[in-house]
Amino acid sequence: MSTTANGNDSKKFKGDIRGPGVPSRVIHIRKLPNDITETEVISLGLPFGDVTNLLMLKAKNQAFLEMNSEEAAQNMVGYYSTVMPIIRHHPVYVQFSNHKELKTDNSPNQERAQAALRALSTSHVDTALATPSPVLRVVVENLVYPVSLDALCQIFSKFGTVLRIIVFTKNSQFQALLQYPDGASAQAAKLSLDGQNIYNGCCTLRISFSKLTSLNVKYNNEKSRDFTRPDLPSGDSQPTMEHPAMAAAFTPGIISAAPYAGATHAFPPAFTIQPAGLTVPALPGGLASLSLPGATRLGFPPLPAGVCVLLISNLNPERVTPHCLFILFGVYGDVMRVKILFNKKENALVQMSDSTQAQLAMSHLSGQQLHGRSLRITLSKHTSVQLPREGHEDQGLTKDYSNSPLHRFKKPGSKNYSNIFPPSATLHLSNIPPSVVEDDLKMLFSSSGAMVKAFKFFQKDHKMALIQMGSVEEAIECLIEFHNHDLGENHHLRVSFSKSSI
């Protein structure tokens, strides 16, 4: 058999028929998801060296990747033999090919592959363009789990030495400024990491070049670090919060592993190899699946077991009900029990199904307006909400929802995990029956006294729509009132907060 893999007739191309054997620059990748992109395949190889060629066999869910050296290929195969790469929930298999090089043709498929290679190659820098800034601006969207300065350093250190980093909140978004020694490292990091998720389905990195060319760091603490100046004082390490929902990002020890068993990082763990600021060689395995005991490597020790009861204060005693708290807090986790305190009805206890969900609800709902009052939320000293003893009625102030059919997160791996957003004026509606039209929904939401500013059905799927209310507070009250509303034809409306606006 020829030692050259030829892409001229990729439909007939048989791929490798024998298992991994003699080292080769060419890597055979199998069991790829159907909608795999060239960029995702190339990203598997980039942490280990330059990728010099790519042959995609999409019909067979396979690809061949040619590395710039046999050593790079050996590092890649060795690493992925210990840490299974996961692409969009699919484990993929990496082995040496029995081909020694790749030859590709000019078919549209291969032209796409070559274009992706040119875009992602760190050596492909258009000299006509100005050198990019060595400083990156990083925005973390959909901040379901807190992201620390150390975690960002681990992720970005794979592409060059991180000299300085500052984390902060702006416009209620968790952001960072991060400085490399040169623009090439910053460009490589941006090309590989922009749009990737730190955790499965959430904490998405949006990366752009900063106008700054250097960062001025005065303190070494959890919100700023200068690795070239270990002598800097720690200063006041408690950051001032611009928005209560962001406080979680700086509170140590509030992540308790992955959202569900088996969740893994959405990009190859190899991206997070080198401990920040150290000059030691990169060691694979810096970030394996968060469901493993090694989760604390990220510097996120779990919350103490059982801290899943929240104390909510400053409620409106005239209007609050257990059901209203169940629906609102149920956006961020499965609510087990709710108790409005008998002698102090502006206070309530809400028991979530686990500590991660409790932290999530506290992060997103603290400071939000409900019935004209600003919610204050803290962790309760109680480990569970007690139900009233039989024969001791409490005017319906305590409710048990542990068997409620309305829980959004009961199913492991539910897509609801990736659709958790802070309260917003725009609501996402789903499960709309075909007979219900725009005016029906506008009228329904206006019936609560709220103002409907805009409405839009999803183009491809009329079961879903966006509706924009007059304010975030109105949207919160409409979500409480109309989530699970019976629209007829056995359709109950599903309402959640949207990340988009109309």
Side-chain angles (χ1 to χ4, degrees):
M1 190 172 181
S2 161
T3 58
T4 302
N6 194 331
N8 288 337
D9 192 358
S10 53
K11 282 185 183 168
K12 292 181 188 170
F13 189 71
K14 299 288 185 207
D16 276 329
I17 49 174
R18 64 183 177 88
V22 184
S24 160
R25 283 198 303 138
V26 180
I27 307 284
H28 184 200
I29 304 167
R30 299 177 294 119
K31 300 276 180 82
L32 291 164
N34 291 329
D35 52 352
I36 187 75
T37 64
E38 286 79 4
T39 302
E40 285 170 308
V41 175
I42 295 165
S43 294
L44 286 171
L46 272 182
F48 305 94
D50 281 346
V51 177
T52 49
N53 212 343
L54 171 67
L55 174 63
M56 297 288 286
L57 303 177
K58 286 193 178 180
K60 295 179 184 292
N61 301 93
Q62 296 182 18
F64 287 82
L65 204 61
E66 183 186 275
M67 302 301 290
N68 62 336
S69 69
E70 206 170 276
E71 184 189 6
Q74 280 180 308
N75 287 342
M76 178 176 169
V77 172
Y79 176 64
Y80 289 131
S81 67
T82 58
V83 180
M84 172 74 76
I86 305 282
I87 296 180
R88 297 195 224 159
H89 310 294
H90 286 259
V92 299
Y93 296 85
V94 174
Q95 64 189 55
F96 290 117
S97 168
N98 50 347
H99 303 291
K100 293 296 178 193
E101 61 175 320
L102 289 180
K103 279 191 180 169
T104 49
D105 61 10
N106 297 323
S107 70
N109 276 353
Q110 296 314 321
E111 279 182 13
R112 255 203 324 274
Q114 295 306 311
L117 271 172
R118 284 193 296 274
L120 281 172
S121 166
T122 54
S123 56
H124 181 80
V125 180
D126 191 340
T127 49
L129 295 173
T131 310
S133 164
V135 178
L136 293 176
R137 176 173 168 265
V138 181
V139 176
V140 183
E141 290 182 352
N142 192 12
L143 190 75
V144 172
Y145 292 99
V147 175
S148 70
L149 177 148
D150 289 316
L152 289 175
C153 284
Q154 282 188 311
I155 292 164
F156 282 84
S157 287
K158 182 58 199 144
F159 299 91
T161 306
V162 176
L163 299 181
R164 298 171 189 90
I165 181 170
I166 300 167
V167 295
F168 56 95
T169 60
K170 187 176 179 184
N171 304 329
S172 299
Q173 283 184 310
F174 179 57
Q175 303 192 20
L177 288 168
L178 183 137
Q179 183 184 345
Y180 283 112
D182 53 72
S185 301
Q187 187 175 50
K190 181 179 182 298
L191 283 169
S192 291
L193 295 177
D194 189 27
Q196 298 281 9
N197 295 331
I198 297 178
Y199 303 123
N200 206 13
C202 64
C203 299
T204 307
L205 295 169
R206 300 289 177 213
I207 303 171
S208 56
F209 291 110
S210 170
K211 289 174 185 162
L212 299 170
T213 53
S214 177
L215 297 179
N216 181 20
V217 173
K218 293 177 181 172
Y219 302 110
N220 283 336
N221 54 37
E222 74 268 29
K223 48 179 182 161
S224 63
R225 197 101 28 104
D226 184 338
F227 295 106
T228 66
R229 295 277 313 277
D231 56 311
L232 287 176
S234 63
D236 175 17
S237 63
Q238 285 306 310
T240 53
M241 295 302 152
E242 288 184 23
H243 189 278
M246 305 314 290
F250 300 93
T251 310
I254 56 177
I255 192 165
S256 71
Y260 49 90
T264 45
H265 295 280
F267 55 78
F271 284 136
T272 53
I273 286 168
Q274 188 175 321
L278 302 180
T279 52
V280 296
L283 298 171
L287 271 185
S289 163
L290 268 190
S291 56
L292 300 176
T296 49
R297 285 188 213 131
L298 273 183
F300 300 141
L303 262 182
V307 182
C308 53
V309 179
L310 298 171
L311 172 64
I312 294 90
S313 51
N314 201 37
L315 293 163
N316 184 332
E318 306 298 318
R319 297 187 59 189
V320 72
T321 63
H323 175 77
C324 123
L325 295 175
F326 166 67
I327 296 293
L328 178 58
F329 281 75
V331 173
Y332 300 105
D334 293 336
V335 175
M336 297 291 113
R337 292 175 180 176
V338 177
K339 180 192 282 286
I340 294 172
L341 302 191
F342 187 77
N343 293 323
K344 214 176 176 192
K345 291 191 173 65
E346 59 269 26
N347 290 350
L349 295 171
V350 174
Q351 181 180 334
M352 309 298 288
S353 70
D354 65 41
S355 54
T356 302
Q357 294 181 357
Q359 191 68 54
L360 202 48
M362 186 165 78
S363 304
H364 283 304
L365 293 175
S366 285
Q368 296 292 345
Q369 295 287 316
L370 176 63
H371 306 141
R373 301 259 191 115
S374 179
L375 292 176
R376 286 204 289 268
I377 307 173
T378 55
L379 293 172
S380 167
K381 62 177 188 281
H382 297 282
T383 53
S384 67
V385 169
Q386 297 299 312
L387 295 174
R389 284 174 304 184
E390 256 185 83
H392 290 70
E393 283 310 309
D394 67 348
Q395 301 174 355
L397 295 176
T398 306
K399 294 281 184 189
D400 184 1
Y401 295 103
S402 50
N403 295 314
S404 169
L406 294 186
H407 286 160
R408 297 180 190 238
F409 305 97
K410 248 185 188 153
K411 189 178 163 195
S414 159
K415 65 174 184 285
N416 290 332
Y417 280 110
S418 52
N419 290 319
I420 295 174
F421 302 108
S424 58
T426 306
L427 297 170
H428 179 278
L429 312 181
S430 59
N431 205 32
I432 303 166
S435 60
V436 170
V437 295
E438 179 174 331
D439 284 348
D440 297 330
L441 290 163
K442 280 181 169 175
M443 232 154 74
L444 175 68
F445 278 75
S446 303
S447 68
S448 66
M451 181 172 75
V452 175
K453 287 179 91 170
F455 181 93
K456 187 174 81 175
F457 272 114
F458 278 54
Q459 241 179 342
K460 292 181 181 172
D461 187 356
H462 268 231
K463 290 183 196 146
M464 296 196 287
L466 296 177
I467 188 164
Q468 188 178 339
M469 309 311 296
S471 66
V472 175
E473 184 176 3
E474 281 190 356
I476 288 173
E477 297 195 15
C478 284
L479 180 142
I480 291 166
E481 189 167 346
F482 299 120
H483 179 63
N484 203 44
H485 181 84
D486 189 351
L487 292 173
E489 301 174 49
N490 205 21
H491 281 67
H492 286 78
L493 186 64
R494 297 276 170 266
V495 186
S496 52
F497 297 115
S498 171
K499 66 172 177 182
S500 314
S501 49
I502 304 172

